[in-house]
Amino acid sequence: MTTEPSANSPRYILMHENDNVAIVVNDGGLPAGAVFPNGLVLREAVPQGHKVALRAFAKGDPVIRYNVTIGFAALDIEAGSWIAEAQVEMPAARELTGLPIATVKPPPQEPLEGYTFEGYRNPDGSVGTRNILAITTTVQCVAGVVEHAVQRIKAELLPKYPNVDDVVGLEHTYGCGVAIDAPGANIPIRTVRNISLNPNFGGQAMVVSLGCEKLQPARLFPKGSIPIQNSGGADPAHVCLQDQGHVGFQSMIASIMKTAEVNLQALDKRRRETVPASELVVGVQCGGSDAFSGVTANPAVGFATDLLVRAGGTVMFSEVTEVRDGIDQLTSRAVNEEVAAAMIREMEWYDQYLKRGGVDRSANTTPGNKKGGLSNIVEKAMGSIVKSGSSPISGVLSPGEKLTQKGLIYAATPASDFICGTLQVAAGMNLHIFTTGRGTPYGLAEVPVIKVATRNELAARWHDLMDVNAGRIASGEASIADVGWEMFRLMLDVASGRKTWAEQWKLHNALVLFNPAPVT
């Protein structure tokens, strides 16, 4: 990555020496006539983060960024021109045949030892970063009752149990009015089940059902199939609102509160203890991306990813449509043919899913992405993939599955912030890293979220929402390694109990299930 010098002069960032476009760095963009230190003159005003032609293009010439063809010139373009979205024709998707398989064999990295955090050990061997009572729901019908009960529990019971951090209702829109036996229905079902097993809930699961819904508790939690350590036995504590014993609304609330208090008592006995950094399970994601995402925040996350993998920890990267155009980069980093085949299988499945909906991967990009300088999904994907760092990819998860191994894992999810976060919670993450260029107040009640700004301007304007400012990389104030180490240390601090801005303000987005099966 090359940045033109002098903070006061017109500046651009070139990602690779073979690139024929670069992005404007200066806050507010640059006017027509601006002259870069190398003598290139802007023929028109170019917004910050948008691409400038470093040479003349004939119609059909490849537009190259990250040493990848992100598109083709839709018309003749003179050097110094703004290359806007409409001037770039998107290339066809990479075929899923003839891919390099496990060809990248990086030299073994020295283990990163001696790093620890203060976490909660669970009976199943996992470690939580928070101590939360979670109330699972089988169907949306009970959401209002559970929400009321949670507020009562927080006000009346939680103060009696100071070692419990919070109480959350795991509400969702699934459970009835769905083709529950259709292909694909297993995805939302196992997602709800595995969310209930998240390490931050300490194995003290309880479930509230309505009674007549399709997703019955016995189907959600098959007997003996889950390692939950409730005081009353292996099955989750259960409250059914249609039970004959419930006479009126208040009796339902009383039942939920009575059941919750048993679990609160168990959770309150838990204490933080020193555990190795290898117990971290971090989900990485980007949202509200811009052209700086792949320059500052995501490369720094990738650096931190490599550190955590070296420390023996687990990192999940996701978002199928935001890695699809770099599938060759991923299969080449697979530890073996089996892992590469699993990644290809997930890409094929999602290609068909989009095709059934009459769209393709190009439906991913948003108005905000484009305003931030991203012309299409190919360019966006190249900046997204770098969150995964350079470590070998050791495993693949299908949507809703639970982690069973450590290392760098590809967890296949849609790119929707909320669905991706939900599926990573289900996979077992205990800490979340979320990068943003346009800005989002995203947060989760179930897992602490560290938010990373791609630009100095965003970090300053949203100073009490962004936890890390990666924009300093673009301005030359810090290196990728500097910010990567900062994130790594912050992850350990947050895992030990330090609150993120989203936690301080109690900013919690709803869980959103991925249901590819029909709704009836």
Side-chain angles (χ1 to χ4, degrees):
M1 180 176 75
T2 302
T3 306
E4 292 291 319
S6 177
N8 297 321
S9 64
R11 292 171 294 139
Y12 63 64
I13 289 179
L14 182 72
M15 294 304 297
H16 191 276
E17 62 182 359
N18 293 337
D19 292 355
N20 51 25
V21 297
I23 64 167
V24 169
V25 176
N26 303 72
D27 287 343
L30 291 172
V35 182
F36 292 101
N38 65 355
L40 181 69
V41 180
L42 283 185
R43 299 183 59 82
E44 55 196 310
V46 179
Q48 184 189 33
H50 284 246
K51 291 177 287 298
V52 56
L54 300 181
R55 65 161 179 81
F57 288 77
K59 181 179 180 181
D61 282 353
V63 178
I64 301 173
R65 187 170 178 231
Y66 299 103
N67 197 31
V68 169
T69 298
I70 63 170
F72 299 93
L75 68 169
D76 293 345
I77 302 171
E78 296 187 65
S81 298
W82 173 18
I83 297 188
E85 175 197 358
Q87 295 168 311
V88 181
E89 295 179 347
M90 194 172 78
R94 176 73 159 83
E95 292 291 335
L96 294 175
T97 56
L99 293 166
I101 304 296
T103 54
V104 175
K105 305 292 184 184
Q109 292 292 306
E110 181 180 354
L112 197 60
E113 299 175 337
Y115 289 91
T116 62
F117 67 98
E118 302 298 307
Y120 296 97
R121 285 201 177 274
N122 296 316
D124 66 357
S126 65
V127 173
T129 62
R130 296 294 182 267
N131 190 24
I132 297 170
L133 171 63
I135 302 176
T136 301
T137 59
T138 58
V139 67
Q140 172 66 19
C141 308
V142 305
V145 175
V146 170
E147 181 181 7
H148 185 93
V150 166
Q151 295 307 315
R152 289 275 304 273
I153 293 166
K154 288 182 176 182
E156 300 172 31
L157 298 181
L158 194 57
K160 296 162 55 178
Y161 303 101
N163 296 313
V164 181
D165 294 318
D166 202 1
V167 180
V168 299
L170 303 179
E171 301 168 8
H172 54 83
T173 57
Y174 195 70
C176 211
V178 294
I180 202 163
D181 294 313
N186 60 320
I187 292 176
I189 295 171
R190 71 188 178 204
T191 301
V192 175
R193 178 187 306 129
N194 288 332
I195 288 173
S196 306
L197 304 177
N198 185 275
N200 287 352
F201 304 152
Q204 295 298 320
M206 63 175 287
V207 60
V208 175
S209 70
L210 181 60
C212 60
E213 65 272 32
K214 289 185 176 182
L215 184 56
Q216 290 289 305
R219 182 164 189 162
L220 180 59
F221 297 111
K223 191 171 181 62
S225 66
I226 53 175
I228 288 182
Q229 304 295 319
N230 289 323
S231 300
D235 294 331
H238 175 212
V239 175
C240 177
L241 300 190
Q242 290 178 352
D243 279 355
Q244 291 298 310
H246 290 140
V247 180
F249 174 69
Q250 292 300 333
S251 69
M252 298 176 186
I253 300 300
S255 290
I256 295 172
M257 293 181 69
K258 180 180 178 180
T259 304
E261 186 154 26
V262 174
N263 285 7
L264 285 170
Q265 290 168 353
L267 289 170
D268 196 56
K269 296 175 183 177
R270 305 175 81 212
R271 297 293 184 273
R272 289 187 182 273
E273 58 184 277
T274 302
V275 297
S278 59
E279 299 296 348
L280 275 179
V281 180
V282 177
V284 299
Q285 189 188 168
C286 48
S289 299
D290 65 3
F292 285 97
S293 295
V295 176
T296 60
N298 291 349
V301 169
F303 188 94
T305 290
D306 287 341
L307 293 177
L308 188 55
V309 172
R310 285 175 55 196
T314 305
V315 179
M316 292 179 286
F317 70 108
S318 300
E319 303 166 293
V320 172
T321 52
E322 295 184 14
V323 302
R324 173 65 176 81
D325 282 279
I327 183 58
D328 55 323
Q329 299 177 36
L330 302 184
T331 55
S332 65
R333 289 169 55 196
V335 294
N336 54 40
E337 292 184 8
E338 181 182 357
V339 170
M343 281 190 281
I344 294 170
R345 185 169 60 249
E346 294 298 336
M347 300 297 133
E348 288 175 332
W349 186 93
Y350 213 83
D351 282 356
Q352 293 304 310
Y353 168 73
L354 292 175
K355 186 176 181 180
R356 290 196 300 271
V359 298
D360 60 23
R361 73 207 198 285
S362 66
N364 172 286
T365 47
T366 69
N369 295 153
K370 296 169 184 178
K371 189 173 182 179
L374 296 173
S375 293
N376 56 37
I377 186 55
V378 184
E379 185 178 13
K380 185 177 180 180
M382 295 306 111
S384 175
I385 286 173
V386 294
K387 298 193 300 295
S388 67
S390 60
S391 300
I393 301 169
S394 58
V396 177
L397 291 179
S398 293
E401 290 184 337
K402 194 172 186 290
L403 279 165
T404 58
Q405 65 183 110
K406 291 182 179 291
L408 180 62
I409 308 295
Y410 179 66
T413 75
S416 160
D417 298 346
F418 319 108
I419 297 177
C420 176
T422 299
L423 289 169
Q424 289 184 338
V425 171
M429 78 168 168
N430 53 23
L431 187 67
H432 202 18
I433 300 284
F434 190 98
T435 70
T436 183
R438 306 303 295 170
T440 172
Y442 174 90
L444 293 171
E446 299 77 17
V447 173
V449 179
I450 296 172
K451 289 207 291 297
V452 184
T454 69
R455 297 175 294 114
N456 287 341
E457 185 275 336
L458 175 63
R461 183 162 45 89
W462 283 24
H463 58 90
D464 53 0
L465 287 169
M466 298 292 116
D467 301 289
V468 178
N469 174 20
R472 295 171 293 146
I473 296 169
S475 60
E477 301 166 78
S479 67
I480 289 172
D482 291 336
V483 180
W485 272 107
E486 178 185 341
M487 283 187 206
F488 179 74
R489 295 187 177 98
L490 180 59
M491 284 192 283
L492 296 175
D493 286 347
V494 170
S496 298
R498 174 177 170 178
K499 288 189 175 182
T500 65
W501 279 117
E503 288 183 292
Q504 289 191 44
W505 300 126
K506 299 186 184 301
L507 300 177
H508 303 147
N509 286 95
L511 297 175
V512 182
L513 300 182
F514 179 41
N515 176 28
V519 174
T520 58

